[in-house]
Structures are given as C-alpha cells and as structure tokens.
Amino acid sequence: MEIKKSAFLLALFITISLFLTLLLISDFLGGRREDNLNARFNEVYRDFDDLQQIMLMSDVYGNEMACIAYKNKLSDFDKRIWDLGLKLEQYRTATEEFRQSLYYLEQKKIFNENEFTYLALLKQIKKLCSNNQTIISFFYRNSKDCKKCDDQSFVLSDIKKRFGNDVAIFSYDLDLNITSLELLRKFYSVDEVPCVIIDERKFCGMQSHEFIVNQVCQGNNLLAC
Amino acid sequence: MNQNYTIFTYVVWFIATYYVVLFLVILFSDKKKIMERKKPYRNYSPFVSIIIPAYNEEESIIETIDSLKKLDYPNIEFIIVNDGSKDRTSEIVRAAIAEDKKFILIDNTTNKGKAKSLNEGIAAAKGEFIATIDADSVVEPAVIRKVLPYFSNKVGAVTITVDLKSIKTLLDKIIELEFAIGLSLFMKILSTFNSVFVTPGPFSIYRASVLRKIGGFDPNSITEDLEIAYRIHKAGHKIDNCFNAKVKTQSPPNLKAMYVQRRRWYTGALLTVIQHRNMLFNPKYGFFGFIVPYTFLLIISGLGLFLMTIYLLFSNLISLAQFLQYVNNSTIQRILEVRFDILTISGINIVGIMALFTSISLIVIGLFFTGKSIWKRKMGVFAFPLLFFLYQFYWMRAILAVISGRTTKWR
C-alpha cells in the first residue's frame, strides 16, 4: 500500500493548526491577564482618589474624622496594592516566555510610580494620624546584576505575610529608570542593592529575616512580634 | 523562564506531534484497508519451520511447546535449540517432545548466543517459511494460517501483535499499553509504508529464501530481531504485519529486570542505526530511510528536553531551598499557601497539557484497535506517563553504553 503525499501534508496542516491553537490559547490567556491587571489597576486608582478625597476632608472635618476614614480604607488598599504587585510578577512570568513584553514593562513602571505616590500618602497619614504602621522601602535590580535581590525579596514577602497590614512594603526596581525613584534613591543615598529602608533607617546589603523582624518589632507592640 | 528552553520545548512538541498526527492520519484515512484481515489459504499449506532458541528456560518452555503442539497447521516442524542452558531446559524439552517427530532438538552444551542458535536452526530448517518464537512466549493455534496470506511478492517477513501472557503488577499494566501502541498499532501503521523496523523476538515469520540470502541473524548484534529487519529492507524486501494474529510473551517481573531488558534493546537500537547508517536519508529505502532518523531525532530531542527540564527543576528547587534558609516557614506550609490561578497557565503549560492529551488519545486508540477495554485498564492508563520518565533514563543509559563502548551481552 502506497502512502499518498497528501497524508503528509494533511498531518503537517493539522500539526500547524494545533500549534496555532496553542498560540491562540496563550494569546487569549495573555489578553485575560492584561484585562485582570487593568481591572486591578483601576481599583487602585479609585482607592487613590478616595485617599485624596479623605485628605481634603481633613481640612473641612478635622484630622480625627479623616483618620477614621483612613483606617477603614488603608487595610483594603494595602492588601490590594500588594496583591497587584504579586500578580504583576506572576503574570509577567507566564507571558514573557519568548521575549519581554512592553505591556509588563510599562505596567511595572506605572506600578512603581503608584507605589511612590502611595508611599508619600502613607507618610502623610502616619504623621497626621499617629499611625504605627511600619514602612519598608526596598530597592533592587534584576537578578543578573544583584544576586541577593531575589533572596531579599523572598524574605520581605515572608515579612509581609507575617505582619500583614502592620507593615507596608514598597519595592522599587532601579533598572526601570523612573525619575521619581531616582529622586528617592538619591534622598536615601542608596548606592548598593539590595537596600531596605525601615521607617527611615537604611540597611543596605542582604538583611536576614530575623534582623528585619527585630527592626519592625522595635518599639511596636505588634501581635506578630 | 529560560527563553531557549521555551523555544526548544515548542520545537520538540512540534516534532512529536507531527509524528503522532501523521500516524493517525494514515490510520484513519484508510482504516478499512489497513485493518483488512487477509483470508487464510484453503488449498495451500507450504512447509513451515518454527525455531525456538532456549537458554535457561526451564520455567516457561513447557508452556511454549504446549502452545506449538496445538497449532492448527499440518506441514510443520519445530526446532528447539538449547543454547547450553545451565538449568533443566534440555531435560524438560526431551520429556515434553518425547516421540513427537515434528520436534527436533539441537542440544548444544556451550552457550553461543541467541543469534547463533537461530542460525543453527535456520541451517537445519526444511521449511519454505521459517518462524522464530521466544521460549517464554505462546501463540494462538491459527497463527500460521493467519500470517501466510501476508507473504505477497516482495514480503520477506511478517510480524504479529505482541501482548502479555499475564497481567498482575502495575508494571505489567503499563507494558501492556506500551505493547498495544508501540508493538501493535504502530507496527501495523508502519507496515503500510514498508517501514517496520523490527521483527519482534516473541514471534516473527520469514521467507526462508530471504533469511538465507541475507545470511541469517547477525551474531554480533545484541538486538538481532531489530538488526535483521534493517537487512531485510536493504535486500529490497518488505516486512508486513498481521494485526489479528497474536503472540503472548512474558513481561519483565520488576523494574530491575525491565532496566536490563531495555538497556539491551535501546543500546542495540543505537548500534544498529550506526551499523546501517548508509540507509539513513537514503531514498533507495523509501520511507524507512526517513522514519528511522526522524524517530531518533524525536528520541534525542525528547531526551534533551527532559535533561533541560530536570536541570531547571533542580536549579529552581535549589533556589527555593536557599530562600527557605532565610525564613522560618516550613516548605509544606508554603506549598499549601499557593493558590491556583488559571491565568498563570503559560504556553509551556499548555504544551504539557496537549502532550498529556495526545498520550491519552494514543492509549485509547491503541486499546480500541487491539480490542481491549479501557475501563479495565484505568490504573495502567493513569500510570502510563511514568513510562516516559523511564524511557529517558533507559535512552540515557544506552547512549552512555554506546559512547563508552560498554555494551551488554545477549545470550
């Protein structure tokens, strides 16, 4: 029995179709990932608007009223922005199998800029409402240039899990060359990475889990300490 | 994610998928013709010789002899070649064949190897067709009647479906499926474009003139049943497959025995390809000259992908272990904290899912065509993917054996 050439062509056509289906599913999931992130970004923007409104409220209704509103808002917002950061990284890993996606690079920049704004707001709230939330700023670069940055990031993720809303962590990728981050880097004189600023105290180089826990617990009567 | 790894995964997936799809297209495009059963001859019964090489087969040879005695074929002789067995094989065979004149025993006192034993059998055989059967295998009574009509003009050998004698362990259940796909369905499809690359040892039948023309089995080969198939093609003959005739053979009793068996099979396969490298990409040998290198490309690239995956998996595990040094959390707690999000499924994950789906489809199709129920083989289907891991290990071992020159012996 002779095999027709058409069998080889049909098999090739089916295989290519399966391959294209695979790419289409990947593309579809990529689109859904972007939609999901955009929706999360929109929630964060709405939260920013709310926070700014509350800030205006303090002039009209006084600090006490504004601080009650802040307390209600902050725990949700803090969780939302932290989860957004995690999702951004997870989805980027799933999407960027072949090459870097401009979407994720752009979103990461926007996320870092938002974090910068959130940091400024949080500091103001802390001053205004005597909030005892610990603020940690984490400066890092990609793992090729900074071998310990991933380790430090892992430790900080664990710190966040342990302390929840009692700790706000902001991660800044210095490779993104964002003007506001450059200002922040210069403000804290960060010359090496990884570097963590815990409530205005600077610790550069890899910091252990125990050390950071001690720093957070210093002077704070927290349940997780 | 390592970008080279991603690209390589897609390439291997494409090579493997094309291979499977091509086979299925051929099967389904002419299913009736491929699965057509040729009617046994009514008035034609050429003389057939069956050679049974035996080395230390005291436990199984009686069953083989019994199945041969039940063969529903008049013009036949059985040549048992005892290859210097150290156990009671000779004694048992003598008692079993007694005065039956159809049986001839060549009782060698020294062990010469399977190929030499087969060649001794060929030299003594009087048949127009010569079949070989392993001393741990059994055949159905109608096997000879079923296979003879497949010997058309150019056909030099005919293979049949290989199954297991008994299925007791999980390993048996996996091997049963492997045989249903690899040694049954794929052999049938390969035969449609004259590309059968092995005449399995458990049972195969040859045209005596072809066997003599090519000089019998190669005593230097550790997989003589594979090597002879290449020479049959080289001599310009075809190898056909009779799908509805069945031989049942013994499966390796455990993983260690399976390792020994597969190390020999795969090392032999590599050595045979090297030995007959002039056949590769040679249009003179038709599709056979292309399917063999394509199969090896798939095996080697699959092994490369497996090694890369293992490397990445281990480096990730090492990184995780390093990370965990910094925190007091237990690993299990961390695993339990991971929440599934369908959107984190990447292209590589989809390739994996598709590969799994293809494997399951193949099993279902293999079982369907061999007339086996899938519901009775749920455990085997579930455990079948494990075989792919074992394959990688066996192929790696075979490649190392060929490179180091430390190949195994076959008695």
PDB file of all heavy atoms in Angstrom, chain B residues 28-59:
ATOM      1  N   PHE B  28      -6.475   6.643   9.971  1.00  0.00           N
ATOM      2  CA  PHE B  28      -7.891   6.956   9.779  1.00  0.00           C
ATOM      3  C   PHE B  28      -8.264   7.241   8.319  1.00  0.00           C
ATOM      4  O   PHE B  28      -9.431   7.158   7.965  1.00  0.00           O
ATOM      5  CB  PHE B  28      -8.315   8.109  10.689  1.00  0.00           C
ATOM      6  CG  PHE B  28      -8.422   7.679  12.129  1.00  0.00           C
ATOM      7  CD1 PHE B  28      -7.454   8.031  13.053  1.00  0.00           C
ATOM      8  CD2 PHE B  28      -9.469   6.867  12.541  1.00  0.00           C
ATOM      9  CE1 PHE B  28      -7.534   7.607  14.381  1.00  0.00           C
ATOM     10  CE2 PHE B  28      -9.566   6.445  13.863  1.00  0.00           C
ATOM     11  CZ  PHE B  28      -8.591   6.809  14.781  1.00  0.00           C
ATOM     12  N   SER B  29      -7.259   7.589   7.500  1.00  0.00           N
ATOM     13  CA  SER B  29      -7.594   7.882   6.099  1.00  0.00           C
ATOM     14  C   SER B  29      -7.893   6.593   5.335  1.00  0.00           C
ATOM     15  O   SER B  29      -8.620   6.599   4.356  1.00  0.00           O
ATOM     16  CB  SER B  29      -6.471   8.665   5.426  1.00  0.00           C
ATOM     17  OG  SER B  29      -5.308   7.883   5.422  1.00  0.00           O
ATOM     18  N   ASP B  30      -7.301   5.473   5.790  1.00  0.00           N
ATOM     19  CA  ASP B  30      -7.557   4.223   5.078  1.00  0.00           C
ATOM     20  C   ASP B  30      -7.708   3.073   6.062  1.00  0.00           C
ATOM     21  O   ASP B  30      -7.098   2.012   5.906  1.00  0.00           O
ATOM     22  CB  ASP B  30      -6.403   3.951   4.103  1.00  0.00           C
ATOM     23  CG  ASP B  30      -6.938   3.471   2.766  1.00  0.00           C
ATOM     24  OD1 ASP B  30      -8.101   3.051   2.729  1.00  0.00           O
ATOM     25  OD2 ASP B  30      -6.185   3.532   1.773  1.00  0.00           O
ATOM     26  N   LYS B  31      -8.527   3.355   7.077  1.00  0.00           N
ATOM     27  CA  LYS B  31      -8.680   2.412   8.188  1.00  0.00           C
ATOM     28  C   LYS B  31      -9.056   1.002   7.714  1.00  0.00           C
ATOM     29  O   LYS B  31      -8.487   0.013   8.155  1.00  0.00           O
ATOM     30  CB  LYS B  31      -9.752   2.956   9.135  1.00  0.00           C
ATOM     31  CG  LYS B  31      -9.691   2.378  10.519  1.00  0.00           C
ATOM     32  CD  LYS B  31     -10.625   3.095  11.443  1.00  0.00           C
ATOM     33  CE  LYS B  31     -12.071   2.770  11.149  1.00  0.00           C
ATOM     34  NZ  LYS B  31     -13.029   3.522  11.969  1.00  0.00           N
ATOM     35  N   LYS B  32     -10.023   0.955   6.807  1.00  0.00           N
ATOM     36  CA  LYS B  32     -10.543  -0.345   6.348  1.00  0.00           C
ATOM     37  C   LYS B  32      -9.443  -1.184   5.703  1.00  0.00           C
ATOM     38  O   LYS B  32      -9.286  -2.364   6.000  1.00  0.00           O
ATOM     39  CB  LYS B  32     -11.673  -0.120   5.341  1.00  0.00           C
ATOM     40  CG  LYS B  32     -13.042  -0.252   5.964  1.00  0.00           C
ATOM     41  CD  LYS B  32     -14.084  -0.293   4.892  1.00  0.00           C
ATOM     42  CE  LYS B  32     -15.469  -0.407   5.508  1.00  0.00           C
ATOM     43  NZ  LYS B  32     -16.507  -0.312   4.500  1.00  0.00           N
ATOM     44  N   LYS B  33      -8.690  -0.523   4.826  1.00  0.00           N
ATOM     45  CA  LYS B  33      -7.649  -1.234   4.084  1.00  0.00           C
ATOM     46  C   LYS B  33      -6.510  -1.664   5.024  1.00  0.00           C
ATOM     47  O   LYS B  33      -5.979  -2.769   4.903  1.00  0.00           O
ATOM     48  CB  LYS B  33      -7.109  -0.332   2.972  1.00  0.00           C
ATOM     49  CG  LYS B  33      -6.551  -1.127   1.822  1.00  0.00           C
ATOM     50  CD  LYS B  33      -6.289  -0.251   0.647  1.00  0.00           C
ATOM     51  CE  LYS B  33      -5.705  -1.066  -0.499  1.00  0.00           C
ATOM     52  NZ  LYS B  33      -5.349  -0.230  -1.624  1.00  0.00           N
ATOM     53  N   ILE B  34      -6.184  -0.769   5.943  1.00  0.00           N
ATOM     54  CA  ILE B  34      -5.085  -1.076   6.869  1.00  0.00           C
ATOM     55  C   ILE B  34      -5.460  -2.240   7.785  1.00  0.00           C
ATOM     56  O   ILE B  34      -4.665  -3.138   8.037  1.00  0.00           O
ATOM     57  CB  ILE B  34      -4.693   0.186   7.681  1.00  0.00           C
ATOM     58  CG1 ILE B  34      -4.018   1.208   6.770  1.00  0.00           C
ATOM     59  CG2 ILE B  34      -3.765  -0.160   8.844  1.00  0.00           C
ATOM     60  CD1 ILE B  34      -3.793   2.562   7.387  1.00  0.00           C
ATOM     61  N   MET B  35      -6.674  -2.209   8.271  1.00  0.00           N
ATOM     62  CA  MET B  35      -7.098  -3.228   9.229  1.00  0.00           C
ATOM     63  C   MET B  35      -7.709  -4.468   8.548  1.00  0.00           C
ATOM     64  O   MET B  35      -8.204  -5.358   9.228  1.00  0.00           O
ATOM     65  CB  MET B  35      -8.111  -2.620  10.203  1.00  0.00           C
ATOM     66  CG  MET B  35      -7.477  -1.615  11.139  1.00  0.00           C
ATOM     67  SD  MET B  35      -6.233  -2.436  12.168  1.00  0.00           S
ATOM     68  CE  MET B  35      -5.311  -1.031  12.767  1.00  0.00           C
ATOM     69  N   GLU B  36      -7.659  -4.472   7.242  1.00  0.00           N
ATOM     70  CA  GLU B  36      -8.230  -5.590   6.485  1.00  0.00           C
ATOM     71  C   GLU B  36      -7.545  -6.916   6.876  1.00  0.00           C
ATOM     72  O   GLU B  36      -6.322  -6.994   6.960  1.00  0.00           O
ATOM     73  CB  GLU B  36      -7.988  -5.328   4.993  1.00  0.00           C
ATOM     74  CG  GLU B  36      -8.636  -6.322   4.085  1.00  0.00           C
ATOM     75  CD  GLU B  36      -8.255  -6.052   2.638  1.00  0.00           C
ATOM     76  OE1 GLU B  36      -7.065  -5.785   2.386  1.00  0.00           O
ATOM     77  OE2 GLU B  36      -9.141  -6.086   1.785  1.00  0.00           O
ATOM     78  N   ARG B  37      -8.360  -7.927   7.147  1.00  0.00           N
ATOM     79  CA  ARG B  37      -7.795  -9.236   7.503  1.00  0.00           C
ATOM     80  C   ARG B  37      -7.753 -10.100   6.248  1.00  0.00           C
ATOM     81  O   ARG B  37      -8.772 -10.277   5.583  1.00  0.00           O
ATOM     82  CB  ARG B  37      -8.668  -9.912   8.549  1.00  0.00           C
ATOM     83  CG  ARG B  37      -8.647  -9.181   9.862  1.00  0.00           C
ATOM     84  CD  ARG B  37      -9.618  -9.777  10.823  1.00  0.00           C
ATOM     85  NE  ARG B  37      -9.584  -9.018  12.063  1.00  0.00           N
ATOM     86  CZ  ARG B  37     -10.093  -9.439  13.202  1.00  0.00           C
ATOM     87  NH1 ARG B  37     -10.683 -10.616  13.257  1.00  0.00           N
ATOM     88  NH2 ARG B  37     -10.030  -8.698  14.282  1.00  0.00           N
ATOM     89  N   LYS B  38      -6.573 -10.618   5.951  1.00  0.00           N
ATOM     90  CA  LYS B  38      -6.464 -11.465   4.750  1.00  0.00           C
ATOM     91  C   LYS B  38      -6.967 -12.871   5.081  1.00  0.00           C
ATOM     92  O   LYS B  38      -6.640 -13.408   6.147  1.00  0.00           O
ATOM     93  CB  LYS B  38      -5.019 -11.490   4.255  1.00  0.00           C
ATOM     94  CG  LYS B  38      -4.612 -10.122   3.715  1.00  0.00           C
ATOM     95  CD  LYS B  38      -3.285 -10.152   3.033  1.00  0.00           C
ATOM     96  CE  LYS B  38      -2.982  -8.749   2.495  1.00  0.00           C
ATOM     97  NZ  LYS B  38      -1.654  -8.622   1.969  1.00  0.00           N
ATOM     98  N   LYS B  39      -7.730 -13.434   4.184  1.00  0.00           N
ATOM     99  CA  LYS B  39      -8.320 -14.758   4.442  1.00  0.00           C
ATOM    100  C   LYS B  39      -7.253 -15.848   4.334  1.00  0.00           C
ATOM    101  O   LYS B  39      -6.438 -15.835   3.400  1.00  0.00           O
ATOM    102  CB  LYS B  39      -9.423 -15.032   3.420  1.00  0.00           C
ATOM    103  CG  LYS B  39     -10.713 -14.311   3.762  1.00  0.00           C
ATOM    104  CD  LYS B  39     -11.788 -14.699   2.786  1.00  0.00           C
ATOM    105  CE  LYS B  39     -13.042 -13.885   3.076  1.00  0.00           C
ATOM    106  NZ  LYS B  39     -14.029 -14.046   2.006  1.00  0.00           N
ATOM    107  N   PRO B  40      -7.269 -16.812   5.261  1.00  0.00           N
ATOM    108  CA  PRO B  40      -6.293 -17.913   5.196  1.00  0.00           C
ATOM    109  C   PRO B  40      -6.475 -18.724   3.901  1.00  0.00           C
ATOM    110  O   PRO B  40      -7.577 -18.820   3.373  1.00  0.00           O
ATOM    111  CB  PRO B  40      -6.632 -18.769   6.412  1.00  0.00           C
ATOM    112  CG  PRO B  40      -7.402 -17.883   7.316  1.00  0.00           C
ATOM    113  CD  PRO B  40      -8.132 -16.918   6.451  1.00  0.00           C
ATOM    114  N   TYR B  41      -5.342 -19.291   3.402  1.00  0.00           N
ATOM    115  CA  TYR B  41      -5.417 -20.114   2.189  1.00  0.00           C
ATOM    116  C   TYR B  41      -6.195 -21.397   2.485  1.00  0.00           C
ATOM    117  O   TYR B  41      -6.115 -21.931   3.589  1.00  0.00           O
ATOM    118  CB  TYR B  41      -4.012 -20.499   1.722  1.00  0.00           C
ATOM    119  CG  TYR B  41      -3.154 -19.315   1.325  1.00  0.00           C
ATOM    120  CD1 TYR B  41      -1.913 -19.113   1.928  1.00  0.00           C
ATOM    121  CD2 TYR B  41      -3.565 -18.433   0.328  1.00  0.00           C
ATOM    122  CE1 TYR B  41      -1.113 -18.049   1.565  1.00  0.00           C
ATOM    123  CE2 TYR B  41      -2.763 -17.371  -0.034  1.00  0.00           C
ATOM    124  CZ  TYR B  41      -1.546 -17.170   0.582  1.00  0.00           C
ATOM    125  OH  TYR B  41      -0.762 -16.125   0.228  1.00  0.00           O
ATOM    126  N   ARG B  42      -6.917 -21.870   1.467  1.00  0.00           N
ATOM    127  CA  ARG B  42      -7.669 -23.128   1.665  1.00  0.00           C
ATOM    128  C   ARG B  42      -6.855 -24.331   1.215  1.00  0.00           C
ATOM    129  O   ARG B  42      -6.778 -25.335   1.902  1.00  0.00           O
ATOM    130  CB  ARG B  42      -8.975 -23.078   0.883  1.00  0.00           C
ATOM    131  CG  ARG B  42     -10.052 -22.321   1.638  1.00  0.00           C
ATOM    132  CD  ARG B  42     -11.364 -22.499   0.932  1.00  0.00           C
ATOM    133  NE  ARG B  42     -12.405 -21.776   1.636  1.00  0.00           N
ATOM    134  CZ  ARG B  42     -13.621 -21.684   1.206  1.00  0.00           C
ATOM    135  NH1 ARG B  42     -13.973 -22.250   0.078  1.00  0.00           N
ATOM    136  NH2 ARG B  42     -14.526 -21.021   1.879  1.00  0.00           N
ATOM    137  N   ASN B  43      -6.250 -24.178   0.041  1.00  0.00           N
ATOM    138  CA  ASN B  43      -5.577 -25.359  -0.525  1.00  0.00           C
ATOM    139  C   ASN B  43      -4.069 -25.164  -0.632  1.00  0.00           C
ATOM    140  O   ASN B  43      -3.421 -25.779  -1.465  1.00  0.00           O
ATOM    141  CB  ASN B  43      -6.145 -25.664  -1.915  1.00  0.00           C
ATOM    142  CG  ASN B  43      -7.640 -25.849  -1.846  1.00  0.00           C
ATOM    143  OD1 ASN B  43      -8.135 -26.564  -0.978  1.00  0.00           O
ATOM    144  ND2 ASN B  43      -8.351 -25.173  -2.728  1.00  0.00           N
ATOM    145  N   TYR B  44      -3.530 -24.320   0.163  1.00  0.00           N
ATOM    146  CA  TYR B  44      -2.088 -24.074   0.086  1.00  0.00           C
ATOM    147  C   TYR B  44      -1.496 -24.129   1.493  1.00  0.00           C
ATOM    148  O   TYR B  44      -1.825 -23.298   2.342  1.00  0.00           O
ATOM    149  CB  TYR B  44      -1.852 -22.702  -0.569  1.00  0.00           C
ATOM    150  CG  TYR B  44      -0.399 -22.251  -0.599  1.00  0.00           C
ATOM    151  CD1 TYR B  44       0.581 -23.008  -1.237  1.00  0.00           C
ATOM    152  CD2 TYR B  44      -0.017 -21.047   0.006  1.00  0.00           C
ATOM    153  CE1 TYR B  44       1.897 -22.586  -1.258  1.00  0.00           C
ATOM    154  CE2 TYR B  44       1.293 -20.611  -0.025  1.00  0.00           C
ATOM    155  CZ  TYR B  44       2.251 -21.380  -0.649  1.00  0.00           C
ATOM    156  OH  TYR B  44       3.553 -20.956  -0.670  1.00  0.00           O
ATOM    157  N   SER B  45      -0.672 -25.106   1.753  1.00  0.00           N
ATOM    158  CA  SER B  45      -0.051 -25.254   3.074  1.00  0.00           C
ATOM    159  C   SER B  45       1.443 -25.520   2.915  1.00  0.00           C
ATOM    160  O   SER B  45       1.903 -26.662   3.027  1.00  0.00           O
ATOM    161  CB  SER B  45      -0.693 -26.415   3.843  1.00  0.00           C
ATOM    162  OG  SER B  45      -2.073 -26.228   3.928  1.00  0.00           O
ATOM    163  N   PRO B  46       2.219 -24.491   2.619  1.00  0.00           N
ATOM    164  CA  PRO B  46       3.664 -24.708   2.463  1.00  0.00           C
ATOM    165  C   PRO B  46       4.290 -25.171   3.784  1.00  0.00           C
ATOM    166  O   PRO B  46       3.749 -24.907   4.856  1.00  0.00           O
ATOM    167  CB  PRO B  46       4.176 -23.322   2.062  1.00  0.00           C
ATOM    168  CG  PRO B  46       3.178 -22.378   2.597  1.00  0.00           C
ATOM    169  CD  PRO B  46       1.857 -23.073   2.568  1.00  0.00           C
ATOM    170  N   PHE B  47       5.444 -25.819   3.664  1.00  0.00           N
ATOM    171  CA  PHE B  47       6.102 -26.334   4.867  1.00  0.00           C
ATOM    172  C   PHE B  47       6.678 -25.169   5.692  1.00  0.00           C
ATOM    173  O   PHE B  47       7.332 -24.272   5.166  1.00  0.00           O
ATOM    174  CB  PHE B  47       7.208 -27.309   4.466  1.00  0.00           C
ATOM    175  CG  PHE B  47       7.633 -28.188   5.606  1.00  0.00           C
ATOM    176  CD1 PHE B  47       6.825 -29.242   6.036  1.00  0.00           C
ATOM    177  CD2 PHE B  47       8.833 -27.966   6.269  1.00  0.00           C
ATOM    178  CE1 PHE B  47       7.208 -30.053   7.106  1.00  0.00           C
ATOM    179  CE2 PHE B  47       9.221 -28.771   7.328  1.00  0.00           C
ATOM    180  CZ  PHE B  47       8.409 -29.814   7.746  1.00  0.00           C
ATOM    181  N   VAL B  48       6.414 -25.220   6.983  1.00  0.00           N
ATOM    182  CA  VAL B  48       6.867 -24.145   7.881  1.00  0.00           C
ATOM    183  C   VAL B  48       7.741 -24.725   8.988  1.00  0.00           C
ATOM    184  O   VAL B  48       7.412 -25.767   9.561  1.00  0.00           O
ATOM    185  CB  VAL B  48       5.651 -23.409   8.513  1.00  0.00           C
ATOM    186  CG1 VAL B  48       6.103 -22.386   9.555  1.00  0.00           C
ATOM    187  CG2 VAL B  48       4.810 -22.718   7.442  1.00  0.00           C
ATOM    188  N   SER B  49       8.857 -24.063   9.237  1.00  0.00           N
ATOM    189  CA  SER B  49       9.726 -24.467  10.356  1.00  0.00           C
ATOM    190  C   SER B  49       9.641 -23.395  11.439  1.00  0.00           C
ATOM    191  O   SER B  49       9.699 -22.198  11.131  1.00  0.00           O
ATOM    192  CB  SER B  49      11.177 -24.563   9.894  1.00  0.00           C
ATOM    193  OG  SER B  49      11.289 -25.464   8.819  1.00  0.00           O
ATOM    194  N   ILE B  50       9.504 -23.842  12.667  1.00  0.00           N
ATOM    195  CA  ILE B  50       9.496 -22.873  13.779  1.00  0.00           C
ATOM    196  C   ILE B  50      10.706 -23.139  14.661  1.00  0.00           C
ATOM    197  O   ILE B  50      10.900 -24.268  15.146  1.00  0.00           O
ATOM    198  CB  ILE B  50       8.190 -22.951  14.593  1.00  0.00           C
ATOM    199  CG1 ILE B  50       6.989 -22.612  13.689  1.00  0.00           C
ATOM    200  CG2 ILE B  50       8.243 -21.997  15.786  1.00  0.00           C
ATOM    201  CD1 ILE B  50       5.657 -22.507  14.400  1.00  0.00           C
ATOM    202  N   ILE B  51      11.523 -22.090  14.842  1.00  0.00           N
ATOM    203  CA  ILE B  51      12.743 -22.245  15.649  1.00  0.00           C
ATOM    204  C   ILE B  51      12.504 -21.644  17.033  1.00  0.00           C
ATOM    205  O   ILE B  51      12.015 -20.514  17.151  1.00  0.00           O
ATOM    206  CB  ILE B  51      13.942 -21.553  14.965  1.00  0.00           C
ATOM    207  CG1 ILE B  51      14.107 -22.096  13.536  1.00  0.00           C
ATOM    208  CG2 ILE B  51      15.216 -21.742  15.769  1.00  0.00           C
ATOM    209  CD1 ILE B  51      15.062 -21.289  12.685  1.00  0.00           C
ATOM    210  N   ILE B  52      12.872 -22.411  18.043  1.00  0.00           N
ATOM    211  CA  ILE B  52      12.704 -21.943  19.431  1.00  0.00           C
ATOM    212  C   ILE B  52      14.074 -21.950  20.103  1.00  0.00           C
ATOM    213  O   ILE B  52      14.528 -23.003  20.570  1.00  0.00           O
ATOM    214  CB  ILE B  52      11.728 -22.859  20.221  1.00  0.00           C
ATOM    215  CG1 ILE B  52      10.454 -23.092  19.410  1.00  0.00           C
ATOM    216  CG2 ILE B  52      11.402 -22.272  21.590  1.00  0.00           C
ATOM    217  CD1 ILE B  52      10.325 -24.504  18.914  1.00  0.00           C
ATOM    218  N   PRO B  53      14.779 -20.816  20.134  1.00  0.00           N
ATOM    219  CA  PRO B  53      16.060 -20.799  20.855  1.00  0.00           C
ATOM    220  C   PRO B  53      15.772 -20.748  22.357  1.00  0.00           C
ATOM    221  O   PRO B  53      14.846 -20.058  22.780  1.00  0.00           O
ATOM    222  CB  PRO B  53      16.716 -19.499  20.366  1.00  0.00           C
ATOM    223  CG  PRO B  53      15.591 -18.634  19.960  1.00  0.00           C
ATOM    224  CD  PRO B  53      14.433 -19.494  19.596  1.00  0.00           C
ATOM    225  N   ALA B  54      16.548 -21.488  23.130  1.00  0.00           N
ATOM    226  CA  ALA B  54      16.267 -21.523  24.567  1.00  0.00           C
ATOM    227  C   ALA B  54      17.550 -21.486  25.386  1.00  0.00           C
ATOM    228  O   ALA B  54      18.470 -22.257  25.140  1.00  0.00           O
ATOM    229  CB  ALA B  54      15.481 -22.786  24.899  1.00  0.00           C
ATOM    230  N   TYR B  55      17.561 -20.573  26.325  1.00  0.00           N
ATOM    231  CA  TYR B  55      18.687 -20.514  27.259  1.00  0.00           C
ATOM    232  C   TYR B  55      18.106 -20.339  28.669  1.00  0.00           C
ATOM    233  O   TYR B  55      17.471 -19.339  28.962  1.00  0.00           O
ATOM    234  CB  TYR B  55      19.627 -19.343  26.923  1.00  0.00           C
ATOM    235  CG  TYR B  55      20.770 -19.210  27.902  1.00  0.00           C
ATOM    236  CD1 TYR B  55      21.821 -20.119  27.897  1.00  0.00           C
ATOM    237  CD2 TYR B  55      20.778 -18.187  28.839  1.00  0.00           C
ATOM    238  CE1 TYR B  55      22.848 -20.018  28.805  1.00  0.00           C
ATOM    239  CE2 TYR B  55      21.818 -18.067  29.760  1.00  0.00           C
ATOM    240  CZ  TYR B  55      22.847 -18.989  29.743  1.00  0.00           C
ATOM    241  OH  TYR B  55      23.864 -18.892  30.652  1.00  0.00           O
ATOM    242  N   ASN B  56      18.305 -21.352  29.479  1.00  0.00           N
ATOM    243  CA  ASN B  56      17.778 -21.369  30.852  1.00  0.00           C
ATOM    244  C   ASN B  56      16.278 -21.036  30.890  1.00  0.00           C
ATOM    245  O   ASN B  56      15.852 -20.071  31.517  1.00  0.00           O
ATOM    246  CB  ASN B  56      18.549 -20.379  31.732  1.00  0.00           C
ATOM    247  CG  ASN B  56      19.981 -20.810  31.950  1.00  0.00           C
ATOM    248  OD1 ASN B  56      20.336 -21.960  31.680  1.00  0.00           O
ATOM    249  ND2 ASN B  56      20.806 -19.902  32.427  1.00  0.00           N
ATOM    250  N   GLU B  57      15.491 -21.826  30.200  1.00  0.00           N
ATOM    251  CA  GLU B  57      14.050 -21.560  30.099  1.00  0.00           C
ATOM    252  C   GLU B  57      13.231 -22.667  30.755  1.00  0.00           C
ATOM    253  O   GLU B  57      12.119 -22.966  30.324  1.00  0.00           O
ATOM    254  CB  GLU B  57      13.637 -21.403  28.621  1.00  0.00           C
ATOM    255  CG  GLU B  57      14.332 -20.313  27.856  1.00  0.00           C
ATOM    256  CD  GLU B  57      13.831 -18.913  28.195  1.00  0.00           C
ATOM    257  OE1 GLU B  57      12.931 -18.786  29.042  1.00  0.00           O
ATOM    258  OE2 GLU B  57      14.358 -17.955  27.597  1.00  0.00           O
ATOM    259  N   GLU B  58      13.760 -23.306  31.783  1.00  0.00           N
ATOM    260  CA  GLU B  58      13.065 -24.450  32.396  1.00  0.00           C
ATOM    261  C   GLU B  58      11.668 -24.092  32.904  1.00  0.00           C
ATOM    262  O   GLU B  58      10.789 -24.935  32.955  1.00  0.00           O
ATOM    263  CB  GLU B  58      13.903 -25.042  33.537  1.00  0.00           C
ATOM    264  CG  GLU B  58      14.129 -24.086  34.690  1.00  0.00           C
ATOM    265  CD  GLU B  58      14.916 -24.711  35.845  1.00  0.00           C
ATOM    266  OE1 GLU B  58      15.420 -25.832  35.681  1.00  0.00           O
ATOM    267  OE2 GLU B  58      15.023 -24.061  36.903  1.00  0.00           O
ATOM    268  N   GLU B  59      11.472 -22.832  33.277  1.00  0.00           N
ATOM    269  CA  GLU B  59      10.173 -22.458  33.849  1.00  0.00           C
ATOM    270  C   GLU B  59       9.100 -22.180  32.807  1.00  0.00           C
ATOM    271  O   GLU B  59       7.914 -22.291  33.091  1.00  0.00           O
ATOM    272  CB  GLU B  59      10.349 -21.233  34.747  1.00  0.00           C
ATOM    273  CG  GLU B  59      10.934 -21.606  36.095  1.00  0.00           C
ATOM    274  CD  GLU B  59      11.207 -20.409  36.963  1.00  0.00           C
ATOM    275  OE1 GLU B  59      10.651 -19.323  36.682  1.00  0.00           O
ATOM    276  OE2 GLU B  59      11.991 -20.562  37.915  1.00  0.00           O
TER     277      GLU B  59
END
